[in-house]
Amino acid sequence: MQADAGYHGLMTVAKLHLSTSPASEVEADVLVIGVIKTESGPQLVDDSPSLSSFTEALGAVGATGAQDEFLRIPASGIGANAVAFIGIGDNELSPETLRYAAGSAARQLRGAASIALALGAQSSDDTLAVLEGAAIGAYSYDAYRSTKPEAAKSLASDITVLSQVDDDALIERARIIAHATHVTRDLVNEAPGELYPETFADRAGKLAALDNVEVEVLAEKELEEGGFGGILGVGQGSSRGPRLVKLSYNPAGATKHLALVGKGITFDSGGLSLKPGLGMIGMKFDMSGAATVMAVLEACAKLGTNVRLTAWLCLAENMPSGTAIRPNDVLTIRGGKTVEVLNTDAEGRLVMADGLVVASEENPDAIVDIATLTGAAVVALGNRYAGTMGDKQLVDRVIAVADRVGEPFWPMPIGPELRSMLASDIADIANIKAGTTAGGMLVAAAFLKDFVGKRADSSETIPWAHIDIAGPSDNRGGGWGYVGKGATGIGVRTLIELAEDFSRP
Ligand code: BES
Ligand code: ZN
Ligand code: ZN
């Protein structure tokens, strides 16, 4: 994929190693040692005698052990050329605090080709977290810089994690997860003039090379034949037509089927309900959900996860023009339900409606959708938490899995009072409640709920969860932990873990 002309995804995963050697003996440009914040002051997490001299240095450089604190000093008499202290904070050591610290160090450490991380990893979970954090933290998006960062400023390409556990399977897993995160970030960070529905679908097409993976791309003609009025309607204002990509991973012997639906608006101008200038900045990220489900399917295929997965990428560019949909237009979603469009900027739910209907037709065991759906999600939950809505049992399961992999997901309700707000004067449903922003994230979820289908031969609806990542998908502030500026890749780890959860009997 990376050799393609015009493909601006350049980030590869660093080489990862595990070592059970004492920290003082490991050869690397920089040895990173974790520092815990305690009431009696900062403490090295690795208390081996050969490192005790660095305890004095802690005071000299003013280390406190706070999270994201990064201090680098020269070193002699050990295998590494320099030492860096990374703060772990005062939280209990857990996979997430270790993932965070490893990522923070890898992100802030530039100019060292090889780094070794002594963060006190004991268990397999700890070790995987450090590997993952370091690999995910060592990311920066430089595709459009005319001067590439000189060697002196580049990120580590070789990462050794010191651990009691030496297991190549952990390295392989961390590589696959980091690759999925990087792919998602690359796609989200790429300029919208280059990544549009057709080129996005082309990238997805490459996954057909993987075992047990099939790719189907529906262009305008097929979308018309299939009655995908939401995707077509949103896409009709753009000179670049919409696409629906179906990615199927179907390993022999899988007993469960999980469907994933991703919002893929490659640029959201708002359409005729045009966004104001400032509000439009960053709207290239409105395809984060589609990028996430694509990367998750790739990762699961590589991991050989024993679950059938179908990922639906609902791709369109939302533009204002003489051919664009207007407020008051009525679209017919796949399956026949009609939607009166009262605001063309509430376009995500229109493309997702088609995606949820077609995903339901295959009668999967569950449907999870992920979307940068509402500005209201940012108001409600800020920039770190992903709002999680839908069927309680599935929502609880998604959140439990998110907790396990250190992604902050938070449950939000879809109350029974919401659906009536979307009554339309002329169609089956309206896409917004005009004149109020109250509970906007929940209203959008209530809209989506209407399009989740029933289980075959039953009146029960298919278990469904909806994840609104409008807040955490894009990091506009400074870096923290394993997250740098721009696309974060939130949701990737959770959905991989969820797929694995479904693969267990
Ligand atoms: N892509 C946006 C959601 C969004 C807005 C994400 C701001 C991050 C920051 C979505 O398509 C949208 O514009 N939603 C509208 C809905 C409204 C018209 C009901 C919004 O949130 O303002
Ligand atoms: Zn919009
Ligand atoms: Zn949008």
Side-chain angles (χ1 to χ4, degrees), residues 263 268 275 283 285-286 343 345-349 372-376 378 432 470:
K263 172 175 173 181
D268 183 11
K275 287 183 183 293
M283 282 302 142
F285 96 131
D286 215 17
N343 189 318
D345 195 13
E347 84 299 335
R349 60 197 78 179
T372 49
L373 204 63
T374 63
V378 191
I432 62 152

Short mmCIF file of all heavy atoms in Angstrom, two decimals, residues 263 268 275 283 285-286 343 345-349 372-376 378 432 470, ligand 1:
data_model
loop_
_atom_site.label_atom_id
_atom_site.label_comp_id
_atom_site.label_asym_id
_atom_site.label_seq_id
_atom_site.Cartn_x
_atom_site.Cartn_y
_atom_site.Cartn_z
N LYS A 263 -18.85 5.70 9.61
CA LYS A 263 -19.16 6.94 8.89
C LYS A 263 -17.92 7.38 8.12
O LYS A 263 -16.85 7.56 8.70
CB LYS A 263 -19.58 8.04 9.88
CG LYS A 263 -19.74 9.43 9.24
CD LYS A 263 -20.27 10.49 10.20
CE LYS A 263 -20.26 11.88 9.59
NZ LYS A 263 -20.75 12.93 10.50
N ASP A 268 -16.70 17.19 5.38
CA ASP A 268 -18.03 17.65 5.76
C ASP A 268 -18.07 19.18 5.79
O ASP A 268 -17.70 19.81 6.78
CB ASP A 268 -18.41 17.09 7.14
CG ASP A 268 -19.83 17.48 7.54
OD1 ASP A 268 -20.56 18.01 6.68
OD2 ASP A 268 -20.18 17.26 8.72
N LYS A 275 -21.32 24.91 7.05
CA LYS A 275 -20.68 25.21 8.33
C LYS A 275 -19.99 26.56 8.23
O LYS A 275 -19.52 26.93 7.16
CB LYS A 275 -19.61 24.15 8.63
CG LYS A 275 -20.16 22.79 9.03
CD LYS A 275 -19.02 21.84 9.39
CE LYS A 275 -19.52 20.46 9.73
NZ LYS A 275 -20.31 20.39 10.97
N MET A 283 -12.70 19.11 9.29
CA MET A 283 -13.76 18.19 8.87
C MET A 283 -13.31 17.13 7.86
O MET A 283 -14.11 16.35 7.35
CB MET A 283 -14.98 18.97 8.37
CG MET A 283 -15.81 19.53 9.50
SD MET A 283 -16.41 18.23 10.63
CE MET A 283 -16.26 19.04 12.21
N PHE A 285 -11.66 14.92 9.07
CA PHE A 285 -11.63 13.79 10.01
C PHE A 285 -12.96 13.06 10.09
O PHE A 285 -13.09 12.08 10.80
CB PHE A 285 -11.20 14.28 11.39
CG PHE A 285 -12.34 14.59 12.35
CD1 PHE A 285 -12.34 14.10 13.63
CD2 PHE A 285 -13.40 15.39 11.95
CE1 PHE A 285 -13.39 14.37 14.50
CE2 PHE A 285 -14.45 15.67 12.81
CZ PHE A 285 -14.44 15.16 14.08
N ASP A 286 -13.94 13.52 9.28
CA ASP A 286 -15.30 12.99 9.40
C ASP A 286 -15.45 11.59 8.79
O ASP A 286 -16.54 11.05 8.73
CB ASP A 286 -16.28 13.99 8.74
CG ASP A 286 -17.62 14.06 9.46
OD1 ASP A 286 -17.70 13.60 10.61
OD2 ASP A 286 -18.57 14.56 8.84
N ASN A 343 -31.65 19.52 7.79
CA ASN A 343 -30.33 20.16 7.87
C ASN A 343 -29.34 19.25 7.14
O ASN A 343 -29.15 18.10 7.53
CB ASN A 343 -29.95 20.35 9.34
CG ASN A 343 -28.69 21.20 9.49
OD1 ASN A 343 -27.73 21.04 8.74
ND2 ASN A 343 -28.70 22.11 10.45
N ASP A 345 -26.29 19.38 7.15
CA ASP A 345 -25.08 19.13 7.94
C ASP A 345 -25.25 17.91 8.86
O ASP A 345 -24.28 17.42 9.42
CB ASP A 345 -24.73 20.38 8.75
CG ASP A 345 -23.31 20.35 9.29
OD1 ASP A 345 -22.53 19.48 8.85
OD2 ASP A 345 -22.99 21.19 10.15
N ALA A 346 -26.47 17.47 9.02
CA ALA A 346 -26.69 16.22 9.78
C ALA A 346 -26.68 15.08 8.76
O ALA A 346 -27.66 14.36 8.59
CB ALA A 346 -28.00 16.29 10.55
N GLU A 347 -25.55 14.96 8.06
CA GLU A 347 -25.44 14.03 6.93
C GLU A 347 -24.96 12.66 7.37
O GLU A 347 -25.24 11.67 6.70
CB GLU A 347 -24.47 14.61 5.88
CG GLU A 347 -22.98 14.36 6.12
CD GLU A 347 -22.46 14.96 7.42
OE1 GLU A 347 -23.06 15.94 7.90
OE2 GLU A 347 -21.45 14.46 7.96
N GLY A 348 -24.22 12.62 8.47
CA GLY A 348 -23.65 11.34 8.90
C GLY A 348 -24.74 10.31 9.12
O GLY A 348 -24.65 9.16 8.67
N ARG A 349 -25.80 10.73 9.79
CA ARG A 349 -26.89 9.80 10.10
C ARG A 349 -27.59 9.31 8.83
O ARG A 349 -28.16 8.23 8.82
CB ARG A 349 -27.86 10.45 11.09
CG ARG A 349 -28.49 11.71 10.60
CD ARG A 349 -29.10 12.54 11.73
NE ARG A 349 -28.08 13.29 12.48
CZ ARG A 349 -28.36 14.10 13.50
NH1 ARG A 349 -29.61 14.25 13.91
NH2 ARG A 349 -27.39 14.73 14.12
N THR A 372 -18.04 9.96 13.69
CA THR A 372 -17.86 11.32 14.23
C THR A 372 -19.17 12.04 13.98
O THR A 372 -19.30 12.88 13.11
CB THR A 372 -16.72 12.02 13.47
OG1 THR A 372 -16.94 11.85 12.06
CG2 THR A 372 -15.37 11.45 13.84
N LEU A 373 -20.18 11.67 14.78
CA LEU A 373 -21.55 12.00 14.37
C LEU A 373 -22.02 13.39 14.75
O LEU A 373 -22.70 14.04 13.97
CB LEU A 373 -22.52 10.94 14.90
CG LEU A 373 -23.82 10.83 14.10
CD1 LEU A 373 -23.55 10.40 12.66
CD2 LEU A 373 -24.79 9.85 14.75
N THR A 374 -21.69 13.83 15.96
CA THR A 374 -22.31 15.10 16.41
C THR A 374 -21.34 16.02 17.15
O THR A 374 -20.53 15.57 17.97
CB THR A 374 -23.50 14.81 17.38
OG1 THR A 374 -23.00 14.17 18.55
CG2 THR A 374 -24.56 13.98 16.72
N GLY A 375 -21.48 17.32 16.90
CA GLY A 375 -20.77 18.31 17.70
C GLY A 375 -21.26 18.23 19.15
O GLY A 375 -20.51 18.53 20.09
N ALA A 376 -22.49 17.80 19.32
CA ALA A 376 -23.06 17.70 20.66
C ALA A 376 -22.29 16.69 21.52
O ALA A 376 -22.24 16.82 22.76
CB ALA A 376 -24.53 17.30 20.57
N VAL A 378 -19.15 16.41 21.56
CA VAL A 378 -17.99 17.15 22.08
C VAL A 378 -18.44 18.00 23.27
O VAL A 378 -17.74 18.11 24.29
CB VAL A 378 -17.36 18.05 20.99
CG1 VAL A 378 -16.03 18.60 21.47
CG2 VAL A 378 -17.22 17.31 19.67
N ILE A 432 -33.29 15.96 11.81
CA ILE A 432 -32.95 16.72 13.03
C ILE A 432 -34.24 17.20 13.68
O ILE A 432 -35.31 17.18 13.08
CB ILE A 432 -32.09 17.98 12.74
CG1 ILE A 432 -32.85 18.97 11.85
CG2 ILE A 432 -30.76 17.63 12.16
CD1 ILE A 432 -32.45 20.41 12.05
N ALA A 470 -16.90 11.87 17.84
CA ALA A 470 -16.65 13.24 17.36
C ALA A 470 -15.63 13.96 18.25
O ALA A 470 -14.82 14.75 17.76
CB ALA A 470 -17.96 14.02 17.32
N1 BES B 1 -19.38 15.89 11.35
C1 BES B 1 -20.29 16.62 12.14
C2 BES B 1 -20.09 16.36 13.63
C3 BES B 1 -19.02 17.18 14.29
C4 BES B 1 -19.19 18.53 14.49
C5 BES B 1 -17.92 16.56 14.77
C6 BES B 1 -18.22 19.25 15.15
C7 BES B 1 -16.94 17.29 15.43
C8 BES B 1 -17.09 18.64 15.62
C9 BES B 1 -21.73 16.26 11.81
O1 BES B 1 -21.96 15.86 10.51
C10 BES B 1 -22.52 17.51 12.03
O2 BES B 1 -22.23 18.49 11.43
N2 BES B 1 -23.50 17.43 12.90
C11 BES B 1 -24.30 18.57 13.23
C12 BES B 1 -25.69 18.09 13.51
C13 BES B 1 -26.68 19.17 13.69
C14 BES B 1 -26.94 19.87 12.38
C15 BES B 1 -27.96 18.57 14.23
C16 BES B 1 -23.70 19.22 14.46
O3 BES B 1 -23.26 18.50 15.34
O4 BES B 1 -23.66 20.43 14.52
#
